[in-house]
Structure formats: C-alpha cells, structure tokens
Amino acid sequence: MEEISKKRIFSGIQPTNTPHLGNYLGALRNWKNMQEDYDCIYSIVDLHSITVRQEPAKLRRQIAESYALLLAIGIDPERSVVFVQGHNPAHAQLSWILSCFTQFGELSRMTQFKDKSQKHPENINAGLFTYPVLMAADILLYQADVVPVGIDQKQHVELARNIAQRFNNLYGDTFTVPEPYIVKAVQKIMSLSDPTKKMSKSDENPNSVVSLLDDRDTVLRKFKRAVTDSGSEVKAEEGKDGIVNLMSIYSAVTNKTFDEIENEFKGKGYGDFKTAVGEAVADTLTPVQNEFNRIIADKTYLEGCMKDGAEKAYKLSRRTLQKVNKKLGFINL
Ligand code: TRP
C-alpha cells in the first residue's frame, strides 16, 4: 500500500533545567504520542538557551541529559528526527536571512521579549530580541506544517507564519506556513506549594516542582508536603486549588476521571490521597528514569544518536536553504 505522506511537526525544548512533571504531562508525553500520526522533528534548542548566561559545564551536561530524556520518554530516534539545534549550522544561517525580513517593530511587540527585558534589565542582548527569528528559522527550515507549543509561545509561531507569508509573497512559494498547535495540558499543572501558580522550572522553592528525575522518596515527600486547604474531602470544588491540582495530576497519570477519583477517596483524608498521588507519579516516572539512566551511561550510543539526528536534520534543512539562496540571488555551489 502506498504510504500517505504525513504532516510534519517541529518542536523544540530548551536544555535549561531538567523538565518537570508539568512539562511532561502537558507537552512531552504528547510529543511521544504524536509520532503515531506525524512525521516528527524534535530539537534541543541550545542556541536559544544562551540569551541568558549559562554555566558551560552545566549546559553541556543538560544538553546531553535533555536529549537522553527525550529518548527515555519514548521518542524513537529511528522514527523521528531528534537533534541538537547547534549541531546543524543551517539554523543560524537561515536566522540571519529571516532577520532581514522581520521588522524591528514586530520584535518589539513580542510579549516574551518585553517580560524578559524587564526581568533582566542588566542583560538585554540582541539575541534576546531576535530570539523569535531563530525560532522561525527552526520551524521554516523543515517546512513544518504543525508546531506544538505552550500558549506562551503562540505569538512566536504567529511571527513565523508572518515571516513565511512575507517571504512567499516576495519570492513565490518557498516556505510552508506553519500552524501552531496549542497543547492543552490535560489540565494546567500547578505548583505544589502554591497551587494558584503554574509549576515552573525556575521556581525558587524546590518543593513546588517535581522533576522528571526526582527519585521515588523525593516524589513521595514533595506530594506529602503539597499545600492543600483546611478541608478534608477529596472533591473538586471552588477554592480547593491544591486538591484540584492533585486530582489533575492523579487523573493524568492514572487516566481516572474526577468522579472516579472522588469515589476512590470517599471517607479518606487528604493524607491518604497525597500518598496515592505520589505513588502513582513515582510509578509513572520510574520506567522513564530507568531508561534515562541506561542511555546517559552509554555515551557511544547517545553521541551516535546525536550525530545521526544532526545529519538527518542537516539534509532536510539544506533543501530549504538552497531554495532560499537561489531565490535571493546567492550562488549555490
Ligand atoms: N521558544 C521555545 C520555548 O521556549 C523553544 C523553541 C525554540 C521552539 N525553537 C522552537 C518551540 C521551534 C517550537 C518550535 O519553549
């Protein structure tokens, strides 16, 4: 049977900090599942991470760990292209070209730029400003149809669409105009210590965040300490943000509905429920961690995958780059 060509997906993740439970349930688990229906390209975007100062040894370790984690959660490097952005020089190259088709005013309006430059007034570098152009290059290089991102990145994908359309209008069909695919987290996963705030990598309180690499004891401890209200019934009700968050997490890892969860814990207290959520999360993370430990210990395998991924990525992106060069009047050798 002839294979119907699948739509192509591109997405990227920064290698800063280990992904947490919210990243996994909201996005990464989806990346794995999308392999069924799409032709997927996933990148560890190391170039993006240096708009903020990074410590070299730590960054090097985190790039390797992020890569290994993608494989550990079930992204198959034979089936999908998994690579480190900086291993493919075409990203930086197309980024320069696209920056000449992006207006200063457009970049000034990016919410993330405005937020970040307010937060780090001491280091408002040009990379922070042109960050969305590099992201557009990531996407357009591979002619991606669909870009799964969190809602915070939607504006950047829209900019990529505008750049693609602008270029296509000037030079004829060159880039696929990508669609953002807003990953609706099963339910937004909130901080364990302040359930009105999103679970975030940069939270200063380590008890707020469950890292994908936290061991079982740590996971159990964090859930035991999770902040809840003074009531005692496990019920999704107004004002019970902590319990609702724990129910969302439990539901996401066990596939149980809220009704089923309320029934399961009828007559039991918060303590029992927190233990059950901790256990269920630890059970979900253990196989991922075992796989992660196996991969990270096998440097030859890991680097082999990176190299393979980089070659595949380069090959795909070279076609786009040559087309762009030709349209602009550059000489392809
Ligand atoms: N900016 C994205 C983030 O911080 C990461 C990213 C970089 C990305 N390039 C991308 C996401 C291309 C989707 C497509 O989450």
Side-chain angles (χ1 to χ4, degrees), residues 8 58 67 108 194 278:
R8 180 170 287 168
K58 190 167 165 219
Y67 192 99
S108 313
D194 177 358

Side-chain angles (χ1 to χ4, degrees), residues 24 69 72-73 212-213 284-293:
Y24 178 64
L69 249 182
I73 64 165
L212 289 194
L213 297 179
T284 304
L285 298 187
T286 302
V288 171
Q289 294 172 355
N290 291 341
E291 193 56 10
F292 172 82
N293 290 331

Side-chain angles (χ1 to χ4, degrees), residues 228-235 237 239-240 243 268-271:
T228 43
D229 58 279
S230 57
S232 59
E233 252 187 306
V234 178
K235 241 178 145 91
E237 284 172 341
K240 296 174 100 153
I243 286 296
K268 295 185 188 160
Y270 284 178

Side-chain angles (χ1 to χ4, degrees), residues 265-304:
F265 292 94
K266 212 169 246 156
K268 295 185 188 160
Y270 284 178
D272 288 338
F273 180 50
K274 287 184 189 178
T275 307
V277 181
E279 298 275 2
V281 168
D283 288 346
T284 304
L285 298 187
T286 302
V288 171
Q289 294 172 355
N290 291 341
E291 193 56 10
F292 172 82
N293 290 331
R294 189 182 69 76
I295 295 168
I296 202 77
D298 191 345
K299 205 172 165 202
T300 316
Y301 173 72
L302 185 62
E303 288 188 354

Side-chain angles (χ1 to χ4, degrees), residues 10-14 45 48 85 112 131 135 138-139 147-149 152-153 156:
F10 183 97
S11 198
I13 184 168
Q14 292 214 28
V45 292
H48 275 108
Q85 183 192 34
Q112 194 173 61
Y131 180 110
M135 183 161 158
D138 296 343
I139 298 165
V147 184
V149 282
D152 63 314
Q153 296 295 316
H156 291 165

Side-chain angles (χ1 to χ4, degrees), residues 54-106:
Q54 303 290 339
E55 201 198 300
K58 190 167 165 219
L59 182 59
R60 189 173 299 118
R61 182 167 53 76
Q62 284 179 332
I63 293 168
E65 288 186 356
S66 305
Y67 192 99
L69 249 182
L70 290 190
L71 303 190
I73 64 165
I75 292 172
D76 176 358
E78 302 282 329
R79 198 170 173 195
S80 303
V81 179
V82 191
F83 75 106
V84 177
Q85 183 192 34
H87 288 165
N88 180 3
H91 291 250
Q93 209 174 335
L94 184 64
S95 181
W96 167 255
I97 293 171
L98 297 183
S99 73
C100 301
F101 295 87
T102 309
Q103 297 303 307
F104 183 87
E106 284 182 302

Side-chain angles (χ1 to χ4, degrees), residues 6-293:
K6 292 178 177 169
K7 284 202 168 177
R8 180 170 287 168
I9 272 191
F10 183 97
S11 198
I13 184 168
Q14 292 214 28
T16 40
N17 293 317
T18 311
H20 59 65
L21 189 63
N23 301 137
Y24 178 64
L25 298 176
L28 295 177
R29 199 164 62 161
N30 224 41
W31 284 19
K32 172 196 161 194
N33 295 336
M34 286 180 134
Q35 294 180 114
E36 299 294 331
D37 302 317
Y38 295 89
D39 172 16
C40 299
I41 306 177
Y42 296 127
S43 185
I44 307 294
V45 292
D46 55 347
L47 300 177
H48 275 108
S49 72
I50 62 163
T51 53
V52 177
R53 294 283 165 264
Q54 303 290 339
E55 201 198 300
K58 190 167 165 219
L59 182 59
R60 189 173 299 118
R61 182 167 53 76
Q62 284 179 332
I63 293 168
E65 288 186 356
S66 305
Y67 192 99
L69 249 182
L70 290 190
L71 303 190
I73 64 165
I75 292 172
D76 176 358
E78 302 282 329
R79 198 170 173 195
S80 303
V81 179
V82 191
F83 75 106
V84 177
Q85 183 192 34
H87 288 165
N88 180 3
H91 291 250
Q93 209 174 335
L94 184 64
S95 181
W96 167 255
I97 293 171
L98 297 183
S99 73
C100 301
F101 295 87
T102 309
Q103 297 303 307
F104 183 87
E106 284 182 302
L107 291 178
S108 313
R109 284 193 293 276
M110 294 289 121
T111 334
Q112 194 173 61
F113 171 70
K114 288 193 276 187
D115 286 351
K116 287 202 174 167
S117 41
Q118 250 167 26
K119 268 194 208 145
H120 301 280
E122 74 296 341
N123 185 19
I124 309 179
N125 58 72
L128 197 65
F129 189 65
T130 58
Y131 180 110
V133 182
L134 178 59
M135 183 161 158
D138 296 343
I139 298 165
L140 302 184
L141 261 183
Y142 300 97
Q143 309 286 355
D145 299 288
V146 181
V147 184
V149 282
I151 188 82
D152 63 314
Q153 296 295 316
K154 188 171 178 227
Q155 198 185 26
H156 291 165
V157 180
E158 273 158 8
L159 178 73
R161 285 174 64 84
N162 291 341
I163 298 173
Q165 275 160 345
R166 187 172 304 152
F167 197 98
N168 289 350
N169 286 341
L170 286 165
Y171 296 98
D173 234 4
T174 310
F175 295 119
T176 302
V177 180
E179 295 283 345
Y181 176 99
I182 305 305
V183 186
K184 290 197 194 61
V186 200
Q187 166 92 42
K188 240 200 254 165
I189 304 298
M190 312 303 275
S191 151
L192 296 186
S193 56
D194 177 358
T196 60
K197 269 184 7 199
K198 223 172 98 172
M199 188 178 279
S200 156
K201 291 183 192 185
S202 50
D203 203 307
E204 275 145 38
N205 180 351
N207 287 324
S208 304
V209 186
V210 175
S211 150
L212 289 194
L213 297 179
D214 279 347
D215 61 27
R216 179 171 285 268
D217 286 347
T218 308
V219 172
L220 293 178
R221 181 170 45 78
K222 287 183 179 175
F223 278 101
K224 276 219 177 92
R225 286 203 191 155
V227 168
T228 43
D229 58 279
S230 57
S232 59
E233 252 187 306
V234 178
K235 241 178 145 91
E237 284 172 341
E238 193 79 30
K240 296 174 100 153
D241 296 332
I243 286 296
V244 171
N245 186 36
L246 294 181
M247 288 175 76
S248 306
I249 295 174
Y250 192 64
S251 163
V253 296
T254 61
N255 281 323
K256 291 177 185 165
T257 63
F258 273 31
D259 280 345
E260 287 168 337
I261 299 171
E262 289 176 1
N263 275 327
E264 187 179 348
F265 292 94
K266 212 169 246 156
K268 295 185 188 160
Y270 284 178
D272 288 338
F273 180 50
K274 287 184 189 178
T275 307
V277 181
E279 298 275 2
V281 168
D283 288 346
T284 304
L285 298 187
T286 302
V288 171
Q289 294 172 355
N290 291 341
E291 193 56 10
F292 172 82
N293 290 331

